[in-house]
Amino acid sequence: MTENAQQQPTAPSTELPTQYAPADVEGTLYERWVERGYFAADAKSDKPAYTIVIPPPNVTGSLHLGHAFQHTLMDALTRRKRMQGFEALWLPGMDHAGIATQNKVEQQLAEEGKSRHDLGREEFVERVWQWKEEYGGRILGQMRRLGDGVDWDRERFTMDEGLSKAVQTIFKKLFDDELIYRAERIINWCPRCLTAISDIEVEYQEDDGELVSIKYGEGDETLVVATTRAETMLGDTAVAVHPDDERYKHLVGKRIKLPLTDRTIPVVADTHVDPEFGTGAVKVTPAHDPNDFAIGQRHGLESITVMDERAVITVHGPFEGLDRFEARSTIVAALRSQGRIVAEKRPYVHSVGHCSRCQTTVEPRLSMQWWVKVAPLAQAAGDAVRDGRVAIHPADMSKRYFDWVDNMHDWCISRQLWWGHRIPVWYGPEGQVVCVGPDEEPPGTEAEGWKQDPDVLDTWFSSGLWPFSTLGWPEQTPDLEKFYPTDVLLTGHDIIFFWVARMMMFGLYAMDGEVPFRTITLTGLVRDQFGKKMSKSSGTAVDPLDWMNQYGSDAVRFTLARGANPGTDVPIGEEWVQASRNFANKIWNATRFALMNGATVEGPLPDPSQMSATDRWILSRLNKTVAEVDALYDDFQFAKLSDALYHYAWDEVFDWYVELSKTTFQAGGRGAEVSQRVLGEVLDVTLKLLHPVIPFVTDTLWTTLTGGESVVIADWPNDSGFRDEAAEQEIEALQSVITEVRRFRADQGLQAGQRVPARLTLDGTALAPHEAAIRQLLRLQPEGDAFAATATLPVAGATVALDLSGTIDVAAERKRLAKDLAAAEKEKSQATAKLGNEAFLAKAPDNVVDKIRGRLAKAEEDIARIQTQLDRLPQA
């Protein structure tokens, strides 16, 4: 807590504008929080630490609803812990986003008629840094707009000096431990970005292609194989069949002619082949398919690369120089002319990988790359969850985690880019390979024949170090000692494999077996209101800043939090944000009412013996809500805790307690003084409970109500243990009376403000002290000398008799209701007859039958409702 936080509260102001205008409050209020140091964490503090690191957004990115969703939840966790007395660190930063950022700058250069090669590596990298300073990090400003309570003094970037040192240090350590190696393997290759890309950077789409069946060999020694990539046949080095497939046993071990070439290739037997799929024979192209590469390794097959880095054919004269797609159609035509096309299917819809950055079709390609040997690292990452050092929430997501870490393949970490952490390996003139640590000098100069590896590391390599590199590792810093391991990693379930698992592996490896975080809580993805993926093309993509500008950041945050059930996707629509805006307005108006009626937080709460049942009821419900919200926070049940707060605040505080208090305040005296203090307490605690999710309006109202400096640094409420079940039952009975009579009035068509004579029989019930409140809330006037009960409502042990003779025409009302009853009974009869007709049920579609069942249920409800209304009316 800062010095400012120690200041004594000033006297609260009773003045609030008549309406809440978020735009007038949010920006100024956020800057005040930052200036006063509320979000700054102190490594020297004696308070217990609580740490969350932000999954670093790309430096090229802007705030989307997915960011807003996860940031809202992380902010809520951190704000609550800060109020609970923890030294809370929420650490921000950005990822250098190798491919995405390089593409941005290359696009700029293209507009100038240049390429990165025109600049050279050093000048190009300098140009990227300039772009980063000028255009990068827009999302950081948008995080402020959302209200992120992060420690801006600790903001990190994956290419800054400290994190670069961490990258070099762990690369060297892995290299020395023989957990990093260089080898030729099949990787995902983008012919546009000219680099290997990770699995997460491949997006699969259903594309229209063609499936052609090709006859290999001659005479009796022929096989038919099917492929969607005919151009790769130029690199075939075998045909594979299953060893138990009787159709081809006579061919196994023989060599057959590869069409369009002068080569023969062997027929090999491999259990990978499914004899039931297609013809049971598959072409094997080890240099251009990962499964084929594995078959090639098992059988010692040659790997022939037939395409260059731009996916241009490099072999076999007639096709050399053709783009892969041009070559595909040309090769099929050549095969067709030789009578080797047995079957063709087009369009053939199949799943095709595309580069997520540029949408180019990805090409599997044999390439010399750097790899991490993941087996021992993955074993440790799995064990940390199995033995309980790390908890995954929701627990059923653990299976997905284990499916990944228990079956992980070695990780390709090299990228053929210029922007990123360059691989710290030098090659010498005599074939030497030397890995250089951060404090070591290169083994020689370029003039002496030494060259550094030109590749950079996968972005996920540096972001895998994020929980500890951001705290100063490899140095043993006070931050690292205080705030590591982190407490919670909150992220989407879609990157559990690619980021979460890698942080686990690196954290356990670098930090001597200490986990990087104690809890992994996984969220779903934000969808549109119908549960479908948001997309720009379908017009369903939403810029959260548009909603923030229109409805306020609190409204967007609360809407997202109310949809945050663990591990499940979050639907969101604009009308839900409007409803959250209405909730913020309701909080505002209720606090204005409280201030105008003298609500106060000064002094201790009166003894319960001095309180009315209404006061004791709301305090009992308040403490139950505190306990419920705490339990739900600890279980990461954001949707349930937000819903609990919504219904407690709106339904119980605003709709009931505030309304019931009006009678007390009008009466004045000691009862009003007690309720003023109780109402102040209720709003004080309620605003604190709401603050982590909706920080702006709550801080504005809390400081006005209490005179305190800021709710950001206020103490989190504790459950005092106060319960009053009798008061709760008493007020529930009161609510039942008021709700039932209101419903009856509405059924009779009475206006909300229309006054009706009534006789209340409350003696002998707990409702006797509430007659004034009942009459005021129900607009019931005294019975008078001419009172004649025309409707009697027994509710909760009490009786409310109403004289409707001067307000409605009973005969006309009975006639109207009788007509409605007849219509409902006719609807019931027709629906019952249809549902009892076996011939109709046998022919009618399910949706038609369901619709009729719904009509029947509705008719039965209408009959019961109308009959109740008729029974309550006096005889005409």
Side-chain angles (χ1 to χ4, degrees), residues 517-575:
F517 23 73
R518 298 183 178 93
T519 301
I520 302 166
T521 184
L522 298 166
T523 69
L525 308 178
V526 179
R527 305 284 187 179
D528 70 15
Q529 64 194 81
F530 305 108
K532 296 181 179 178
K533 183 178 179 180
M534 289 187 173
S535 69
K536 292 180 180 178
S537 59
S538 62
T540 57
V542 174
D543 184 342
L545 292 170
D546 291 342
W547 280 353
M548 283 187 245
N549 290 334
Q550 190 166 0
Y551 304 111
S553 298
D554 284 335
V556 175
R557 290 171 61 116
F558 194 65
T559 305
L560 290 165
R562 284 193 80 183
N565 288 300
T568 59
D569 290 347
V570 183
I572 185 171
E574 187 168 3
E575 63 270 28

Side-chain angles (χ1 to χ4, degrees), residues 447 651 799 804 838:
D651 299 346
T799 302
L804 304 178
E838 294 296 335

